[in-house]
Amino acid sequence: MRFGYHFVLALLSLTCVRAASVSQTADIRTYLNAISIPGANSEAFVPPGDSDIATWRRAVDALVTAQYAQAAALADPLGYDVVKVTDTGRAKSYYVLRERSATSRGLGTYVYNPNACRMISLHVPHASADANTKPEAIALFAELNAVTLLIAGTHRCANASGSACDGTTTACGASGKFRISDVAHYTQNFFEPAHEEVIKNVPGVISVAIHGEGASRSPDVLISNGTCTTPTGQSLPALLAAQFNRIFADAGGSLKAGTCNSPGGSTELCAEVDVQGRYANGSASLCNCQSPAASACSTTLGCVRAVSFPEKFIHVEQDCAVRQLSGCDAPASIGYQTAIDAFAAVFPCVPKINAVVQGASFRVEPLAPGSFFSIFGDGMGTTGQSGATAAFSLGGVKVQTCGTPSRLFYNSGAGQLNGVVPVSAAGKTQCDVVVSADGGFPLPSGSSAYPVQIAAQNIALFPYAVSSTLTVPIITNAAYQLIGPDGPGFVRAKKNSVIILWATGLGLTSPLVPDAQVAPATLAPAVITPSIKIGGATVTPAYSGLAPGFIGLYQINVQVPADVASGKVPLAVNTAQYDLWVE
């Protein structure tokens, strides 16, 4: 009753086809990079009024809670459209709040990814001023599968009017004033309210502002949490700087990363006057410190904050090399991918479960202890396939079912996991399936939980797709030849002969096979014998239980009645109905 090993592995990697909706199709990076941004001295930024900002907040709320029709209705009078962009290369749809060019007020572009696996909100506050920060942030957003992307609508120096918010700069001239077109230092715009609504509506989100620093500054990448405070214990800037430095060392050259949040760290470009940082860090005043407190950066601008690990705001200043600017003296391997790899290492994907299905029927049905399930979702790790005994971690993720680790057989790398329900689930009626990322760093990587029903038995035969229009159950004769319709690769069942139905979902066995073991050669019959009918006649299985040498895979051995009709006859396994071809 042993079953061919390679054939079993084929069973374990069966896929389920899911239809994808199609709308406007474009590579998301190409689409967003094509949106033009007015330059310096263009006076293109038109500050919105309080009423428009209130409506805008509601539009952003609707967008990031997947109420797209409501978001579009709210955005329309503000001169915005909600554009669904389907990126077939990434198998994802993004929702873009995009300003209509005919009525543009320079208020920016805002993107939501409903299938994100990293709760990172990318910011580009100086989109055309800090060269290449826009394409870099777009690359980070797309390749990290981040949740939101906020892009400023104009150059930071587009308008001559000065901002009344704290801080000074010479970026727009000798006056030293930030301009009202600089969204990182002004609040009467759409950028800051969008940032606030994302934080309110996306649990655990961390905002990351991408900036460019002058070529002569050191270190080449400077990271802060919006303060110069040296935290006790861990900090995200330190973890990120370590990853940048690892990548720089591997590439050769002399590039270095540092932080504002380590002993002796920089006190320049640390973002203490960044209004988005102040909001994320819990400051009571975003624009002006009404109760300033001394800090390592300044004795007058250190607004009181509550910063703890993991920080909610990350400010990244980068030399030209990491931003892929031409003419930089740096190893050729350094560029956007450097930041992508550094962030990916510190922020493992948080898996998102879309469905948990019975492992043979691919339907949302109760799962039986000891039987196969398939999980479909996003951020589910990389391609992997284990041997007959499976593994508790596969492709960078692990699964718990009813609080017990599940063994995994297959990871498609594209959003499908196949595993086995632990036998300890027996006796339960409902519990959670939880997928967690295997993170290499102590930052909480998060997990995704999905409720499932548990039943003592729920049998389904594994399917075999003959063509796009014909799928047959996997049934073999005693020689393991596939039984099916006339055609290459199939035989018919002979009357009075034994056939084998290959299934999952029969539940517990006696003796009980523990999760850490495969089924014994001495057999492990199912505690509940399934009801089998062939051509309407009840037949008693000669054996129904786990296939020796495997877990999750069951076989039901039955004898075809001698008086059954020839041709295609009905086969019933409990309440499930199939076809059987008889000679």
Side-chain angles (χ1 to χ4, degrees), residues 198-372:
V198 168
I199 288 178
K200 292 174 185 176
N201 286 283
V202 181
V205 71
I206 296 173
S207 301
V208 177
I210 302 299
H211 293 260
E213 66 180 10
S216 62
R217 290 188 180 271
S218 179
D220 303 279
V221 175
L222 178 62
I223 309 168
S224 81
N225 59 21
T227 75
C228 286
T229 302
T230 301
T232 56
Q234 299 164 333
S235 75
L236 287 182
L239 292 174
L240 284 164
Q243 284 305 305
F244 273 103
N245 283 324
R246 176 187 61 80
I247 297 167
F248 290 154
D250 290 344
S254 59
L255 294 176
K256 298 293 181 182
T259 84
C260 297
N261 309 115
S262 54
S266 175
T267 57
E268 292 185 289
L269 302 179
C270 298
E272 282 220 334
V273 295
D274 187 299
V275 296
Q276 284 85 52
R278 287 182 171 180
Y279 180 84
N281 287 330
S283 175
S285 178
L286 307 186
C287 187
N288 305 108
C289 286
Q290 297 172 355
S291 301
S295 77
C297 283
S298 169
T299 58
T300 58
L301 297 179
C303 286
V304 176
R305 298 170 173 84
V307 180
S308 60
F309 179 84
E311 295 96 326
K312 298 302 181 185
F313 179 76
I314 301 298
H315 184 269
V316 184
E317 294 277 358
Q318 306 160 100
D319 204 344
C320 58
V322 182
R323 291 180 282 134
Q324 293 187 188
L325 286 175
S326 60
C328 287
D329 183 17
S333 60
I334 299 300
Y336 300 158
Q337 193 63 42
T338 304
I340 292 169
D341 291 344
F343 274 90
V346 176
F347 295 86
C349 261
V350 177
K352 179 181 179 181
I353 299 176
N354 297 327
V356 180
V357 299
Q358 207 269 10
S361 71
F362 290 114
R363 291 193 293 264
V364 178
E365 298 175 334
L367 306 179
S371 301
F372 280 119

Side-chain angles (χ1 to χ4, degrees), residues 496-537:
N496 231 15
S497 69
V498 173
I499 60 173
I500 307 170
L501 318 180
W502 298 97
T504 196
L506 275 74
L508 297 183
T509 60
S510 181
L512 181 71
V513 179
D515 293 327
Q517 297 179 16
V518 298
T522 52
L523 304 186
V527 171
I528 304 172
T529 301
S531 170
I532 309 295
K533 291 184 179 181
I534 297 177

Side-chain angles (χ1 to χ4, degrees), residues 53-147:
I53 289 176
T55 302
W56 174 252
R57 288 181 181 275
R58 293 168 57 208
V60 175
D61 289 349
L63 183 77
V64 298
T65 56
Q67 300 175 74
Y68 307 120
Q70 182 179 353
L74 290 164
D76 177 65
L78 302 175
Y80 271 81
D81 294 317
V82 173
V83 182
K84 181 180 180 182
V85 179
T86 298
D87 187 331
T88 56
R90 294 178 176 83
K92 285 179 172 51
S93 289
Y94 303 85
Y95 293 84
V96 183
L97 269 170
R98 179 172 181 173
E99 200 167 14
R100 300 186 198 112
S101 58
T103 56
S104 174
R105 292 183 284 172
L107 297 176
T109 302
Y110 306 86
V111 192
Y112 172 59
N113 173 13
N115 295 306
C117 74
R118 289 181 172 89
M119 296 301 104
I120 297 175
S121 178
L122 272 301
H123 291 190
V124 199
H126 301 154
S128 62
D130 293 0
N132 281 18
T133 55
K134 177 187 171 186
E136 181 192 9
I138 291 170
L140 282 162
F141 171 74
E143 305 312 321
L144 291 174
N145 199 10
V147 66

